[in-house]
Amino acid sequence: MMLLPVMLSACAASDDGKPITFTDDRGVSSQPFPKNYRTEVLSFLKTYLNNPVGVRDAVMADPVERVVGGRLRYVACLRFSAREADGGYREPRERAMLFVDGRLDRIIENAAEPCAGLAYAPFAELEKLTR
């Protein structure tokens, strides 16, 4: 009976020690374009941000293929200022949304490298988020 918890915990880790992601990253080099990227980003940020109301200066770049972690992936970059707990705002920060198999996989907080040289456009939907 004591073996069951150990066996189940082994299922949660990958064999090669890589972190587990939201999607089944098969390592396929040709990735499909993330068709619903705007909707997925908005849904994720609604839960990711402490307060999704009152986001300012939101801009987003369409997904482009970039090599991230040694693999070719689609990355959509965005820049915005979220409302802080004290009601104030910091300077806009750049973040990258990484897609695997056409679905949002994870956010990259320090996104200067994957977002370098991209053209941003207003992302008004992010500024209109509610709780």
Side-chain angles (χ1 to χ4, degrees), residues 19-119:
I20 297 172
T21 62
F22 297 126
T23 59
D24 181 23
D25 188 350
R26 301 181 320 265
V28 177
S29 61
S30 63
Q31 291 288 306
F33 185 83
K35 295 176 186 173
N36 299 315
Y37 71 94
R38 293 176 83 85
T39 303
E40 287 190 43
V41 167
L42 288 169
S43 295
F44 175 77
L45 289 175
K46 191 168 186 169
T47 59
Y48 176 78
L49 296 172
N50 289 331
N51 182 2
V53 178
V55 171
R56 290 185 181 170
D57 304 320
V59 292
M60 184 175 196
D62 290 337
V64 295
E65 289 184 305
R66 299 285 182 168
V67 175
V68 178
R71 296 179 181 206
L72 190 61
R73 299 289 179 240
Y74 273 98
V75 176
C77 294
L78 54 144
R79 189 181 313 129
F80 62 89
S81 294
R83 183 177 292 171
E84 299 292 323
D86 64 2
Y89 291 87
R90 291 188 187 165
E91 289 295 315
R93 289 184 29 206
E94 200 163 42
R95 296 162 177 96
M97 308 305 279
L98 186 87
F99 293 84
V100 176
D101 294 333
R103 297 181 316 211
L104 179 62
D105 182 63
R106 65 182 173 267
I107 188 170
I108 301 171
E109 285 289 333
N110 299 318
E113 186 177 326
C115 295
L118 297 182

